[in-house]
């Protein structure tokens, strides 16, 4: 794909060479995301960071990534603080906001809303999550994390064995990741979810077409036994028409140290797009795994910054100019990994 000026709405837009290109730029940008170097390559540019649904990681990491490239961020963090509550349409909102910004990131609870918004926007729009549909940049940072974690074990993405666990019906992070995994060879996926929260048929069709081997079950212990990666997800309570129905699925699939140790191969990597639901009744990923070196959830969240930096530089056409204004930081960096 030609990144320059493109909307980034779905993982469907990417092939393997696009992902390789993005990861190569991300590798080059790591000294900046690790706060060892600064650049002013986007000095004067404005990001419209429009979040009409709660977010911690996506909103802040997109904003931080833009700031780290020298740009400024203007943001809305809830519908209630925008004129959407006065009945303004998304189309009008897009036409107005795209004159105030050079690029827009948008999250919205309705499936397809970011695409509709992009069609009225005069600047590139990046999908920060649209309902239970897609979360493409989450999938890109997840893939980047999987690749880096596997490299430490001298494994490759081709041949990956992964367990996707939890709410596979409504989980947009899982949906985008599944599409991305279809681009790799000899992938096997164990889909582990309550019966009613199984992966929708449309994704099963994609997996079959791509030749991905799948199993489907409700059994966590069996499903995580022979995999390289366990990808836990939260029950997406906010997507249930009747939120009280979500309660019966919480706590059914919980990973803790005892279950991990009893069932997993050594070095099985644990991921989660976060937020995890740490309330007692849910607790899909127990805090007793904090000390497990294979718990990659915070490395995964960290990778959100560098992947989003890479995406900004490619979409805004400055990936080859980052080093022109680069210099070491003035302060003593305390970033540790
Ligand atoms: N992973 C993710 O999308 O997190 P936030 O909802 O906090 O942005």
């Amino acid at each position: 794909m030609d990144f320059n000026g493109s909307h980034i709405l779905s993982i469907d837009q990417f092939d393997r060479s696009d992902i390789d290109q993005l990861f190569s730029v991300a590798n080059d940008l790591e000294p900046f995301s690790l706060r060892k170097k600064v650049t002013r390559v986007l000095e004067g540019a404005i990001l419209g960071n429009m979040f009409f649904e709660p977010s911690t990681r996506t909103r802040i990491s997109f904003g931080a990534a833009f700031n780290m490239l020298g740009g400024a961020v203007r943001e809305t963090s809830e519908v209630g603080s925008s004129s959407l509550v006065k009945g303004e349409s998304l189309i009008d909102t897009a036409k107005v906001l795209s004159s105030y910004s050079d690029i827009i990131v948008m999250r919205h609870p309705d499936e397809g809303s970011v695409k509709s918004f992009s069609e009225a926007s005069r600047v590139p729009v990046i999908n920060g999550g649209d309902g239970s549909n897609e979360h493409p940049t989450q999938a890109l940072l997840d893939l980047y994390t999987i690749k880096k974690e596997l490299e430490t074990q001298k494994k490759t993405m081709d041949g990956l064995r992964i367990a996707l666990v939890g709410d596979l019906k409504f989980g947009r992070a899982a949906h985008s990741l599944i599409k991305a995994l279809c681009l790799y060879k000899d992938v096997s996926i164990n889909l582990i979810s309550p019966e009613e929260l199984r992966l929708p048929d449309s994704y099963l069709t994609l997996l079959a077409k791509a030749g991905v081997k799948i199993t489907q079950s409700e059994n966590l212990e069996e499903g995580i036994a022979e995999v390289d990666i366990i990808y836990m997800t939260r029950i997406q309570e906010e997507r249930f028409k009747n939120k009280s129905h979500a309660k019966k699925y919480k706590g059914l699939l919980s990973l803790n140290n005892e279950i991990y140790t009893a069932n997993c191969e050594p070095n099985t990597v644990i991921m989660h797009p976060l937020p995890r639901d740490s309330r007692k009744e849910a607790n899909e990923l127990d805090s007793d795994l904090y000390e497990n070196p294979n718990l990659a959830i915070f490395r995964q969240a960290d990778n959100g910054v560098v992947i989003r930096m890479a995406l900004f530089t490619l979409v805004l056409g400055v990936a080859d100019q980052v080093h022109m204004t680069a210099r070491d930081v003035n302060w003593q960096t305390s970033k540790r990994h």
Side-chain angles (χ1 to χ4, degrees), residues 1 10 28 37 61 104 116 145 197 234 263 288 313 327:
M1 107 163 103
S10 166
D28 188 48
K37 284 179 174 288
S61 65
I104 291 174
S116 306
T145 305
L197 299 181
R234 178 179 61 88
N263 295 283
D288 70 1
T313 64
R327 62 168 174 78

Side-chain angles (χ1 to χ4, degrees), residues 134-183:
E134 277 226 42
H135 193 349
T137 63
Q138 179 69 44
L140 294 168
L141 76 89
D142 288 343
L143 277 189
Y144 189 68
T145 305
I146 293 170
K147 182 169 177 287
K148 286 175 75 111
E149 296 288 327
L150 293 184
E151 276 170 1
T152 67
Q153 300 180 30
K154 308 220 171 344
K155 295 177 185 168
T156 64
M157 293 290 297
D158 292 322
L160 173 72
R161 303 165 303 159
I162 184 169
L164 297 180
V165 185
D167 183 349
L168 304 182
K169 178 179 180 185
F170 294 119
R172 60 189 171 203
H175 294 166
S176 288
L177 181 59
I178 280 167
K179 286 183 171 183
L181 292 174
C182 288
L183 298 171

